[in-house]
Amino acid sequence: MTPFPTNSGESRPASDLIRVRDLTKTYAGGDPSRPALDRVSIDIPRRHFVSLIGPSGCGKSTLLRVIAGLEGYDSGEATVFGTSPKAMCANKAVGLVPQTPALLPWKNVRRNIALPQKVNRRAGRGGEDPDDLLRMVGLGELGHRYPHELSGGQQQRVAIARAFGMRPEVLLMDEPFSALDEFTRESLQLQLLAMWERMATTVVFVTHSVREAVTLSDEIVVMSARPGRIHEVLPVDLPRPRDTALVNSPRMHAMEDRVRASLESAWQAGAAPDDLVAL
Ligand SMILES: Nc1ncnc2c1ncn2[C@@H]1O[C@H](COP(=O)(O)OP(=O)(O)OP(=O)(O)O)[C@@H](O)[C@H]1O
Ligand SMILES: [Mg+2]
């Protein structure tokens, strides 16, 4: 295994990549010998669907926030299509669905979705109809409610609808389906794939579900923890569309086994969190 595995973007120009090079990040007060991200390098080609998977605390959310332009770093470099992440963020070209849905509590659901679209229109980009978006995530009736009147999974779906509505060039999703029942989750996976194809968006998707990562992705980035490193990049060599027949096929199961094996070796490669050792 190369020390800094990268994926199929190696031969592309930086303007066509989310490019992270030798990037190290330590949080203030964090242990400098175990940075949250340790010399992470990854190429994510434009229009690819890439999943990040790895043990809790391995830096998935941190990497996503760096790419979103919301988090600084100590050394190395991150660019999004040749531009700094902060500039992309200021342009509203990057949509982030955070691990905890950050809805505005004083605005109802419909207005929470419509807000980024106002910004989009000002920037000369069109937007999706908020009611269509709400229907897409199965919340067609709940546009008038306020976030505190929704379940956790419903709030997650509003955050997803809001991000879709921005029509971002890059969509960053941090465990967006984690609080959802299996059927809603599978339906939203299909919606997401349809949107990704229709809008030619680049998606970076964090998940703990091996099956979800394989169903959705072109590449799966397996990370290891303490320090947070890229362990392996696995191309998902399965045709699209990823329909029911494929999802239940031996090829799919073989790919899932490969990802599980990689996760197991990533777990062994990383230091176990102290609190788990203490148990
Ligand atoms: N704001 C912060 N201040 C200090 N340390 C932080 C902060 N945010 C994250 N960390 C630490 O950085 C490391 C990586 O955290 P991160 O949230 O990126 O992990 P993760 O892979 O997303 O985990 P999970 O799967 O549990 O969401 C962890 O050790 C975490 O404790
Ligand atoms: Mg996280």
Side-chain angles (χ1 to χ4, degrees):
M1 199 185 307
T2 56
F4 303 121
T6 57
N7 56 357
S8 52
E10 267 172 348
S11 57
R12 298 196 188 200
S15 59
D16 223 16
L17 294 170
I18 299 172
R19 196 162 198 262
V20 178
R21 276 288 169 283
D22 221 7
L23 189 139
T24 295
K25 168 159 185 85
T26 313
Y27 282 102
D31 177 357
S33 70
R34 284 180 177 176
L37 295 173
D38 183 31
R39 291 166 293 156
V40 164
S41 292
I42 183 83
D43 284 338
I44 298 174
R46 194 190 283 269
R47 297 188 181 182
H48 275 217
F49 196 122
V50 172
S51 288
L52 308 180
I53 195 165
S56 179
C58 71
K60 302 178 296 295
S61 296
T62 304
L63 181 55
L64 221 57
R65 290 173 54 79
V66 165
I67 295 170
L70 300 174
E71 199 80 71
Y73 43 89
D74 314 342
S75 57
E77 194 188 22
T79 54
V80 179
F81 306 149
T83 310
S84 81
K86 279 192 166 55
M88 288 293 280
C89 176
N91 248 342
K92 304 286 178 232
V94 177
L96 173 70
V97 180
Q99 196 162 356
T100 314
L103 304 177
L104 300 175
W106 60 89
K107 287 194 187 289
N108 71 20
V109 163
R110 203 178 179 284
R111 287 193 176 148
N112 259 286
I113 292 175
L115 181 70
Q117 310 212 8
K118 263 193 200 164
V119 179
N120 254 3
R121 273 194 292 277
R122 260 184 244 136
R125 279 196 298 264
E128 305 285 311
D129 176 43
D131 290 316
D132 284 348
L133 289 164
L134 275 174
R135 274 191 291 277
M136 189 186 83
V137 296
L139 296 177
E141 307 298 308
L142 299 186
H144 61 285
R145 291 231 195 141
Y146 286 82
H148 74 273
E149 297 172 318
L150 302 177
S151 73
Q154 288 170 337
Q155 290 184 29
Q156 240 181 2
R157 280 186 275 164
V158 175
I160 292 163
R162 184 172 60 180
F164 279 12
M166 286 173 66
R167 290 188 182 170
E169 279 183 67
V170 177
L171 183 55
L172 307 172
M173 306 184 85
D174 199 346
E175 301 188 42
F177 304 149
S178 60
L180 303 176
D181 66 90
E182 201 168 322
F183 291 112
T184 308
R185 188 173 182 137
E186 283 172 7
S187 149
L188 281 175
Q189 286 172 1
L190 295 180
Q191 303 267 21
L192 172 60
L193 284 179
M195 193 221 67
W196 167 67
E197 275 169 19
R198 183 160 56 90
M199 295 188 190
T201 308
T202 308
V203 178
V204 188
F205 186 96
V206 174
T207 181
H208 283 289
S209 162
V210 171
R211 194 170 177 76
E212 183 165 80
V214 174
T215 303
L216 296 174
S217 311
D218 295 313
E219 284 101 22
I220 298 175
V221 179
V222 180
M223 295 180 69
S224 57
R226 296 171 67 83
R229 287 185 177 149
I230 307 272
H231 182 68
E232 198 172 3
V233 180
L234 299 169
V236 182
D237 188 19
L238 295 172
R240 294 188 186 273
R242 307 270 163 90
D243 54 20
T244 324
L246 182 71
V247 164
N248 294 312
S249 69
R251 283 181 73 188
M252 174 89 180
H253 294 145
M255 188 66 219
E256 287 177 35
D257 288 345
R258 278 194 66 197
V259 178
R260 280 200 192 92
S262 181
L263 271 173
E264 200 174 318
S265 71
W267 178 261
Q268 283 158 4
D274 296 337
D275 46 350
L276 286 185
V277 172
L279 283 175

